Every structure is written in C-alpha cells, then in structure tokens.
Amino acid sequence: MVLGLSVLLGLGAALAGKQEGMEFYNKGQYEQALAELKDSVLGNDGDPEAQTLLGMMYLKGQGTEKDTVLATYWFQEAARQGNATAERTLGEMYLAGNGLPQDDYQAAYWTQQAADLGDAPAQVTLGKLRLDGRGVERDAHEAFRLFSLAAGHDDADAQYQLAQLYERGEGTAADREQALRWYRAASAGGLKAAAEALQRLSPATAPAPVVLQPRNPSVPASPLVTSAAPTVKKKRIALLIADQNYQDASLDLSGPINDARLIQASLVKAGFTVTVKTNLTLVQMNRDISSFLAGVDGNTVSLLYYSGHGVEIGGANYLIPADFQMRRGLTATEAVAQSVDIAAFYARMPAQAEGSLNITILDACRDNPFKSRGLKGLGDGRDGLKTIGLTGGNGDGTVETFTAYAAASGQVAQDGVQNGPYATALAQQMTVPGQVLEVMFRNVRQEVARRTANQQIPTSYANISSEFIFVPSK
C-alpha cells in the first residue's frame, strides 16, 4: 500500500511539474520552465510531451545554452514512446544536418514515423521527399496522397503543394479547377506563393476565348478535324494487410503473409504501387486503412486486400487485429470494440473519392475463432464472413466498389502448403492480359472451386459502371 501511494504521488508531482513547466514556457519564462520540465521527466518512461518540449528548448537555446546532443537525447526518448512531434523534429535535424549528420535516409525514416501517426507537417515533408526521391523512392502518386491528407488538416503548405500537382498533372490528372481551389485555400492560410499563383491563373491572364462567327452559306465548309481527348490513366494503389501472428497464439495462422507477398508480385506487374503491412494491431489497422483511403480521389483505382481472421457479428463483418484479446465470457460488444469494421471506412470516404474504383478483397473467411470456445453470439455460430457488397461514400454509386470474398457465407477458406488456393488463383488471374474485372474474378471462382472440389467457392459483388483491366492486352 505504501509503495502504491508513493507511485501515485510521484505521478501526480510529475504531472504538476509538466503543467507548470508549460505555463512558464508559454509566458516566456524559459529558465523556470526548464527546471520544472526536467523534474517532470525523471524515470524511464517520462512524459513524452515534456520530453519533446525539453528537446525543443535545448535545440533552440531557450533558458539554457543550445545543446543539440541533449536535444537529440530528449527527442529520441519521446520518439521511443511514439511522440509524432519528436519524430518529425528528428527527421528535420537529419534533413538539415542540424546537430546530426545530414542523412536523407534517416530523415525519411523519422518523418515517415511521424506521418504514419497523422502529423500533417511530417506528411508534407515526406511528400516533398517523395517528389524529389530523397531518402525514399520517387513516387508522385504517394506524394499526392500525403499532401491530400495534410491539406485536409488545413495545412497551407500542403494545400499549396497539392495545387501545384493538380496544375502540373503530376501524381494525378491535371485539373485547373482543383488547382485554383487549393491555391485559394493556401492563400487564405497566408501563403504568399499561393496568392501569386492565383494571380497568375486568374481569368485576366488566361487566353482569350475563341468566338465562332456564323458561317457564310455561300462558302463551302472546311472539313472538321478533331482529335480525341487523351485517356487519363488512373493511378493504382494497393494496401495489403496480413495478420498471421496473433498475441493470443491460439489464433495464429500459417498462410496470410505468404499469400500477401504472392498477391503483391502480381499487383506490381499490373502497375500498382503496393504497400504490405503485417501483424497489425487494432490501432495500426484503423490508422493504415484510414490513411490509405484518404489518398483516394477520382483518378484512383484502389485495392485493399486483407488476409487473416474475420468474423460476422450482428450481420456485419469485422476483421480481427493481431492484438485481439480472447477470453472466457467475451461479449459481442467487447469483441466489436476490439475489431475493425471495414464497411465503416468506405461509408466515410470523402467527396474527393467520387469517380474512383475501390476493390476490396477479403481473404478472411477462415474458421470462426469464437465457435470452438463456446462464445455464443460471436460469429453467429458459423464459420466465415457474411458475403455482402461494400458501398462507398453516400451510396449513390459515384464511388464505385467491387467486393470479393475468398469463400461463400458459412464456408472456410483453405490454406495450402505455401499459398492458399484463393491467393494462388487470384495472383495467376491478375496477370492474364485483357481480362475485365468481373471476368477475372469469375475465373478465380471457377479455379478455386475446381481445386477444392467445391468445398470453397469465392463470391463477389460489383457496384461499378466502368471497365477495369489489370493487365491490358498486348
């Protein structure tokens, strides 16, 4: 009891020290702030916000001599606990060679960590690195996605960068109206360069419109020469998630990672920019899916593939993350709170996604992990997922969706020695030239049914009006 009380008292003192330190800092009383903050971060797991502020003070020489060694130490301590500001600042230090050796790769690494946590300035910096190919592979489509995420948080620099991409047609289709929209937003945020761009693109400086005069009937008409508008090739992005090694070892699977890697190879051949994530926790899965779909606009074909455990609860499908806590007496409400509702992400897709095609492939129709434990009401007592089509945006069809399941409702998706029959057939059919989307999945269905003697029959739902081919005919 005495030990517990002392710990509580220590935590209370640390919290008070942090609050007082920040109050001193906001008043410009840096020496007092430094003293209070140093007291508040004692111990192995000090408050990361206080550690980050300490790092900033040492970096800027506020209340003390400038000391980049101590600044780096406190930023690293805070970054160890997942503080995005500390991670971003470490990236900035490496990028500029400020107190750390100039290193584009380390800069990209730390900036990526912060960007993954939703830090808008880090997303902007990472987008610029992607455009320049500094420390990371050059990828204008990924830069566009990052700028789009940050622009949604009213970051003026991101809005300006996004406008430039729309103006140049880089990473997305050229769109003058979208460029003007984002230049206006950045200008409203006080960015002078955006105001100058608006003046440059204003109607007063645009080419004068051509006014057609009525033709003199006595003069023969000249042959009309037209040229077809160029077909804009949509960007192709894919996120593959494979949950195989669960914190509860009884849930472990053997095939998801191998299956995801197999699918990755075929998607790369089909021109997709592919990201593979493995063994994601609930927080990580929610974050990564949200971030992925936030980068979708009308010029996008997105593909989300999930391999792992999934379950139907109350008529809805849920994906089971790697940190799912299985226990006796688990209720449906508790299970839902620990799981990912994939349909909810598509329902919340932004207006900018209108015109996009979004393919979702759920290779999660495995045995119901709850049934064998006698947990009633979880998985509705049967194996697999409920095969239902996902609807994007407000459901009016402007966001096109195609949903594929590895097996029909109540069936179990089988695992193979190296790869499951569904992943094997899917990877093969993706690279067959000239197959439209629906035909490709019909062929996958037939192949899997043949390989499993009709024990596993994939199914799919289309809410699309456009035609999509993974690999065009030669």
Side-chain angles (χ1 to χ4, degrees):
M1 177 66 71
V2 174
L3 178 61
L5 180 60
S6 65
V7 171
L8 289 173
L9 289 173
L11 290 173
L15 180 60
K18 169 191 168 183
Q19 292 173 337
E20 290 179 7
M22 289 185 168
E23 289 176 4
F24 281 128
Y25 184 86
N26 291 332
K27 293 176 183 178
Q29 299 174 352
Y30 297 132
E31 291 184 2
Q32 296 95 319
L34 192 70
E36 291 293 341
L37 289 170
K38 287 168 70 175
D39 287 341
S40 73
V41 296
L42 296 177
N44 292 329
D45 290 308
D47 185 275
E49 289 186 8
Q51 291 170 337
T52 301
L53 186 52
L54 264 179
M56 289 293 184
M57 295 183 74
Y58 280 114
L59 183 64
K60 298 176 181 179
Q62 296 174 320
T64 182
E65 293 292 324
K66 183 176 179 179
D67 190 330
T68 55
V69 174
L70 279 175
T72 301
Y73 170 79
W74 287 117
F75 287 139
Q76 288 176 337
E77 286 296 297
R80 184 172 60 85
Q81 299 187 69
N83 184 277
T85 303
E87 292 170 337
R88 168 172 35 93
T89 307
L90 283 171
E92 292 169 350
M93 293 173 70
Y94 274 115
L95 193 61
N98 180 19
L100 290 169
Q102 201 287 323
D103 189 325
D104 286 348
Y105 293 98
Q106 285 288 339
Y109 170 80
W110 286 109
T111 306
Q112 177 79 63
Q113 304 308 304
D116 286 347
L117 292 175
D119 185 86
Q123 289 167 343
V124 175
T125 300
L126 187 59
K128 293 176 180 178
L129 293 176
R130 280 290 188 184
L131 278 181
D132 295 338
R134 293 183 60 183
V136 287
E137 183 180 352
R138 189 182 187 283
D139 189 336
H141 289 147
E142 177 64 7
F144 176 83
R145 185 185 73 84
L146 290 163
F147 293 147
S148 297
L149 289 173
H153 289 90
D154 294 327
D155 187 291
D157 192 8
Q159 292 165 341
Y160 176 74
Q161 299 295 333
L162 193 58
Q164 288 196 309
L165 292 185
Y166 272 120
E167 185 180 357
R168 297 196 301 263
E170 186 175 5
T172 186
D175 190 325
R176 188 173 183 275
E177 291 305 314
Q178 284 291 339
L180 287 170
R181 169 196 171 193
W182 289 110
Y183 278 136
R184 291 189 192 100
S187 178
L191 207 61
K192 183 180 178 181
E196 293 172 349
L198 276 176
Q199 186 176 12
R200 173 171 53 81
L201 294 178
S202 65
T205 61
V210 177
V211 179
L212 299 178
Q213 301 296 329
R215 184 176 65 85
N216 186 336
S218 63
V219 179
S222 301
L224 180 62
V225 179
T226 62
S227 59
T231 300
V232 178
K233 184 178 180 180
K234 290 190 174 185
K235 66 178 180 181
R236 299 181 172 196
I237 57 174
L239 173 63
L240 313 184
I241 300 174
D243 273 0
Q244 176 170 309
N245 302 320
Y246 287 76
Q247 290 184 11
D248 183 338
S250 67
L251 296 175
D252 282 357
L253 298 167
S254 61
I257 293 178
N258 282 340
D259 288 348
R261 294 299 182 191
L262 183 66
I263 300 298
Q264 177 189 19
S266 292
L267 287 173
V268 169
K269 292 178 182 178
F272 281 78
T273 299
V274 184
T275 300
V276 178
K277 299 280 188 173
T278 61
N279 302 322
L280 296 185
T281 64
L282 176 63
V283 171
Q284 292 170 335
M285 197 183 299
N286 277 315
R287 179 194 68 199
D288 289 350
I289 295 175
S290 180
S291 176
F292 174 70
L293 293 179
V296 173
D297 65 7
N299 187 46
T300 304
V301 175
S302 78
L303 187 147
L304 174 62
Y305 171 87
Y306 173 79
S307 183
H309 279 299
V311 68
E312 175 191 351
I313 302 177
N317 290 328
Y318 296 89
L319 310 183
I320 307 299
D323 60 345
F324 190 93
Q325 299 295 311
M326 184 74 75
R327 64 173 182 79
R328 186 179 297 277
L330 185 73
T331 66
T333 300
E334 292 170 337
V336 167
Q338 295 187 65
S339 305
V340 174
D341 180 359
I342 187 65
F345 283 99
Y346 286 94
R348 295 195 301 266
M349 290 187 76
Q352 72 182 37
E354 290 185 5
S356 63
L357 170 60
N358 303 277
I359 304 167
T360 306
I361 304 173
L362 299 177
D363 193 357
C365 310
R366 289 171 166 82
D367 62 298
N368 179 358
F370 305 114
K371 185 172 67 172
S372 61
R373 292 166 173 79
L375 299 173
K376 297 181 179 180
L378 301 181
D380 293 346
R382 64 183 180 185
D383 296 320
L385 297 174
K386 181 178 181 180
T387 54
I388 52 177
L390 299 175
T391 303
N394 60 14
D396 62 1
T398 56
V399 176
E400 298 186 350
T401 57
F402 187 95
T403 314
Y405 295 87
S409 295
Q411 290 186 336
V412 176
Q414 300 180 19
D415 289 319
V417 177
Q418 181 69 22
N419 296 105
Y422 183 72
T424 299
L426 186 60
Q428 290 174 345
Q429 292 296 325
M430 277 180 175
T431 57
V432 175
Q435 289 194 118
V436 297
L437 186 65
E438 298 92 329
V439 173
M440 191 209 80
F441 275 95
R442 185 178 67 203
N443 290 338
V444 170
R445 173 189 176 95
Q446 293 173 349
E447 179 63 18
V448 173
R450 183 188 67 80
R451 288 175 181 237
T452 63
N454 293 323
Q455 295 301 302
Q456 178 182 342
I457 302 179
T459 188
S460 58
Y461 295 84
N463 179 28
I464 60 177
S465 57
S466 59
E467 180 179 277
F468 178 73
I469 298 173
F470 278 88
V471 177
S473 299
K474 297 180 181 179

